[in-house]
Amino acid sequence: MSATGSAIILTLALACVTTLLLFLLGTPLAWWLATTRNRLKPVIEAITALPLVLPPTVIGFYLLILLNPNAPIGHFWVRLTGETLTFSFAGLVIASILYSLPFMVQPLQSSFERVGRDQLETAASLGASPLDRFFSLVLPLSVRGSLTAGILTFIHTIGEFGVVLMVGGNIPGRTRTLSIALYDHVEALRYDEAHALAAGLVLLSLLVLSLVYLLNRRMPGHG
Amino acid sequence: MADRVLDFNLTAQRGNFRLLAEGRIPLSGVTSISGPSGAGKTSLLRALAGLDRNVSGEVRLGDEVWMSGHRTRPVYTRRIGMVFQDTRLFSHLDVAGNLAYAARRAAPDQPGPSQPEIIDLLDLDGLLGQSVRSLSGGERQRVALGRALASRPRLLILDEAFSALDAARRNRLLPGLRALLDHHELPALHVSHSLSETAQLADHALPILSGRTGTLMPVNDWFAQQDSNAPDPCVLVTGRLSAHDKTRQLSRVSLGQAQIELPGLSDIPEGAPLRLLIHTRDVAIARTRLEGLSIRNQIPVRLAAIRDVAGSAYCDLSLDLDGQVLMARITRSAAEDLELATGETLIALIKSASLDPGRE
């Protein structure tokens, strides 16, 4: 397989796995943030939003420290799987999850908040337990927000660079994602290949964002 | 169910507003919580249902504890059918979906109205497939009531639940709802600004004023109290609409053995029970039936009591009509001239009676 081909497949795989795992992790977090009266809420919100403002290299640096085989987490992973977390796909997934967290949690949270207490207490009076309310009311009313969150997370993961470089390095087929491959091409002065990748990413992002805005216009939100 | 009560003694704080509520509401029939705007009617309903924080005290339904101190039973296990004024239909479901949402979560062993009964009562057949967004305000309120009934609640709570219905629809619906509640022994709490709604639905009234509850009383007493200072209080009499006379635009209503004819009841289905408000000054009495009089409704009653209205020229006559009480307000001198004696049979001349206490 060509180097570009394997970079595309790796990048898509990373984006898919990251989005999927972030749905599982981000949904409860977003729900907690949307409904809690806990005093710690602003702190947790700030931590969630941190990847938006921090340079990716900062996140990458700390992850490198945390995940390397001599640190407890990295060591545990090596004993569990025989592989290191750093410079591996698993490490990239962990890094991407942290890096893309706000893109999943924030749209979900605001969409959950829009469901409103009125609807929830009505469902409760009809005999729906908290979990039942979440699946029968909150999720169906948050379809648009969930789609937005998923798409943004996916595309944002595709485009990440700094964190990947720090944690994953540049190993073809293992950690060389599209943006790394692009960097590689430019470093080697292969501008034709660089152009193809860059234009491809621009087009893809444009398409996906148009899709998001289209969804926001077309899909019924909250009544 | 008749011996069970909803027992409460609670305080609730909402901003500067403080609710101090105490009472025992019988779990049979309908109890209207009545008071001016801002008196705390909705706050009381929400506190009883367990929807608000900052409530403490005791709430018990029968022997089931709903709240004790700050510990509360979760709302979803209480089985209350709440109908809110703003309907709160689920917008991701159509009308049938909203009903099904409630029906699916109803306790399997709890008796209650069936789906066809609900659809029939609220005339929902034509709406079932519609999106809730396309409904008018009145239609939304009908669906919201249907949804609450479909959850087969142990207690129905109606908070201004009929405010968007037009008078004709409401006049048709209320007797039917009343009959359905009776048939399924489903108790209800009711808040409304409409006296006619209270007249048609309620058995009891619980007054509330400035966040404090008063004494529970029969709705007749409450109506009498409503304007006890006014020159013309009214009483509530239960009857049944027996037939319409379309050509004369009159409807025949049975009050016990007696029959009277009244205008303005054409919206009410034949056979439906209804309650009439009769102002005391719209009732005159005579010793015999009278000919040559414009008042057509002349029915025999038994004089139960004579009571002076203090500080006025009037006295009130309590008239027994097959167990119900009719009141006539006449002057004391007329009573003396007629030489009335309690226990004797008289003819009550009823000039008008209506569903609504307001005088045109």
Side-chain angles (χ1 to χ4, degrees), chain B residues 211-285:
Chain B
R212 282 168 198 255
T213 50
T215 314
L216 187 82
M217 62 183 86
V219 71
N220 295 49
D221 293 2
W222 181 78
F223 263 102
Q225 227 181 57
Q226 273 315 285
D227 39 14
S228 57
N229 297 324
D232 194 10
C234 53
V235 295
L236 205 52
V237 178
T238 304
R240 182 174 296 275
L241 198 136
S242 42
H244 292 297
D245 183 339
K246 293 234 164 51
T247 49
R248 293 190 299 146
Q249 300 193 345
L250 288 172
S251 306
R252 189 141 23 91
V253 176
S254 329
L255 300 173
Q257 303 289 320
Q259 301 254 342
I260 61 174
E261 284 190 324
L262 295 167
L265 302 177
S266 56
D267 297 323
I268 296 186
E270 291 185 354
L274 81 172
R275 292 168 168 188
L276 293 171
L277 284 156
I278 304 179
H279 285 269
T280 54
R281 274 162 70 172
D282 286 339
V283 181
I285 53 154

Side-chain angles (χ1 to χ4, degrees), chain A:
Chain A
M1 189 184 294
S2 76
T4 308
S6 78
I8 288 176
I9 288 172
L10 180 73
T11 306
L12 291 179
L14 179 64
C16 284
V17 171
T18 302
T19 308
L20 219 66
L21 288 176
L22 261 181
F23 262 123
L24 295 179
L25 299 171
T27 304
L29 177 58
W31 179 241
W32 184 82
L33 286 173
T35 53
T36 186
R37 288 156 183 266
N38 197 306
R39 273 175 304 167
L40 286 177
K41 177 183 167 179
V43 179
I44 306 293
E45 273 182 313
I47 293 174
T48 309
L50 216 48
L52 287 175
V53 293
L54 278 182
T57 42
V58 172
I59 301 171
F61 173 67
Y62 281 120
L63 280 172
L64 201 57
I65 303 277
L66 273 175
L67 302 182
N68 86 73
N70 297 323
I73 298 175
H75 183 66
F76 175 76
W77 186 262
V78 171
R79 286 191 43 188
L80 202 70
T81 65
E83 293 194 35
T84 61
L85 266 180
T86 44
F87 309 106
S88 74
F89 185 74
L92 278 195
V93 169
I94 292 175
S96 303
I97 284 173
L98 280 175
Y99 184 53
S100 294
L101 188 67
F103 291 83
M104 177 61 77
V105 171
Q106 289 185 350
L108 281 182
Q109 185 186 341
S110 67
S111 156
F112 291 163
E113 279 167 353
R114 273 202 305 273
V115 172
R117 232 183 94 192
D118 286 2
Q119 299 262 313
L120 288 170
E121 66 185 25
T122 306
S125 78
L126 295 171
S129 66
L131 200 66
D132 182 5
R133 294 201 284 277
F134 183 77
F135 285 106
S136 64
L137 193 67
V138 177
L139 277 190
L141 286 173
S142 306
V143 172
R144 196 168 74 183
S146 307
L147 272 173
T148 305
I151 290 169
L152 286 178
T153 302
F154 188 84
I155 199 70
H156 188 247
T157 306
I158 284 182
E160 75 179 80
F161 176 77
V163 178
V164 174
L165 196 64
M166 295 290 278
V167 176
N170 181 9
I171 307 168
R174 266 170 71 88
T175 63
R176 183 189 285 171
T177 60
L178 277 176
S179 52
I180 305 283
L182 173 61
Y183 176 75
D184 219 33
H185 289 318
V186 174
E187 286 282 274
L189 300 176
R190 292 191 299 268
Y191 274 41
D192 290 349
E193 279 129 322
H195 265 306
L197 277 186
L201 279 173
V202 168
L203 264 177
L204 181 68
S205 306
L206 198 64
L207 268 172
V208 169
L209 283 179
S210 306
L211 189 67
V212 170
Y213 286 115
L214 193 73
L215 281 174
N216 273 326
R217 185 197 285 254
R218 286 275 179 84
M219 297 268 302
H222 300 277

Side-chain angles (χ1 to χ4, degrees), chain A residues 35 37 117-130 132-133 135-138 140-141 220-223, chain B residues 46 51-53 75-77 79-82 84 86-92 101-102 105-106 133 147-148 151:
Chain A
T35 53
R37 288 156 183 266
R117 232 183 94 192
D118 286 2
Q119 299 262 313
L120 288 170
E121 66 185 25
T122 306
S125 78
L126 295 171
S129 66
D132 182 5
R133 294 201 284 277
F135 285 106
S136 64
L137 193 67
V138 177
L141 286 173
H222 300 277
Chain B
R46 292 181 59 85
L51 296 176
D52 279 341
R53 283 154 196 277
V75 177
Y76 72 94
T77 64
R79 303 272 157 209
I80 309 165
M82 291 284 294
F84 303 92
D86 56 357
T87 73
R88 306 185 179 183
L89 300 181
F90 300 140
S91 57
H92 64 299
Y101 189 100
R105 288 163 179 79
R133 287 162 208 279
R147 183 177 62 176
S151 73

Side-chain angles (χ1 to χ4, degrees), chain B residues 39-280:
Chain B
K41 302 187 291 289
T42 297
S43 298
L44 176 58
L45 291 185
R46 292 181 59 85
L48 290 174
L51 296 176
D52 279 341
R53 283 154 196 277
N54 302 324
V55 177
S56 63
E58 310 284 324
V59 180
R60 272 198 309 278
L61 181 88
D63 44 20
E64 190 178 287
V65 177
W66 278 6
M67 184 164 75
S68 179
H70 286 280
R71 284 180 303 124
T72 62
R73 186 184 173 95
V75 177
Y76 72 94
T77 64
R78 296 189 185 192
R79 303 272 157 209
I80 309 165
M82 291 284 294
V83 188
F84 303 92
Q85 180 175 21
D86 56 357
T87 73
R88 306 185 179 183
L89 300 181
F90 300 140
S91 57
H92 64 299
L93 301 170
D94 62 8
V95 171
N98 270 272
L99 296 179
Y101 189 100
R104 261 200 305 276
R105 288 163 179 79
D109 52 342
Q110 175 75 18
S114 67
Q115 183 95 341
E117 268 180 282
I118 293 167
I119 291 172
D120 191 47
L121 169 74
L122 297 162
D123 199 10
L124 295 178
D125 218 10
L127 302 179
L128 289 177
Q130 287 194 35
S131 147
V132 298
R133 287 162 208 279
S134 65
L135 304 180
S136 71
E139 288 169 338
R140 292 179 70 93
Q141 288 196 329
R142 276 150 59 202
V143 176
L145 174 58
R147 183 177 62 176
L149 289 171
S151 73
R152 276 186 256 132
R154 297 185 297 179
L155 174 67
L156 189 66
I157 295 186
L158 305 165
D159 189 358
E160 295 283 0
F162 311 104
S163 57
L165 299 183
D166 58 71
R169 168 74 71 176
R170 194 158 28 171
N171 287 344
R172 278 202 304 278
L173 171 59
L174 293 181
L177 174 62
R178 188 57 237 205
L180 181 116
L181 296 179
D182 286 345
H183 180 247
H184 293 285
E185 296 183 343
L186 171 56
L189 297 181
H190 166 252
V191 159
S192 167
H193 283 106
S194 152
L195 283 174
S196 115
E197 220 178 283
T198 305
Q200 292 312 310
L201 281 178
D203 301 291
H204 298 94
L206 179 70
I208 181 167
L209 197 63
S210 311
R212 282 168 198 255
T213 50
T215 314
L216 187 82
M217 62 183 86
V219 71
N220 295 49
D221 293 2
W222 181 78
F223 263 102
Q225 227 181 57
Q226 273 315 285
D227 39 14
S228 57
N229 297 324
D232 194 10
C234 53
V235 295
L236 205 52
V237 178
T238 304
R240 182 174 296 275
L241 198 136
S242 42
H244 292 297
D245 183 339
K246 293 234 164 51
T247 49
R248 293 190 299 146
Q249 300 193 345
L250 288 172
S251 306
R252 189 141 23 91
V253 176
S254 329
L255 300 173
Q257 303 289 320
Q259 301 254 342
I260 61 174
E261 284 190 324
L262 295 167
L265 302 177
S266 56
D267 297 323
I268 296 186
E270 291 185 354
L274 81 172
R275 292 168 168 188
L276 293 171
L277 284 156
I278 304 179
H279 285 269
T280 54

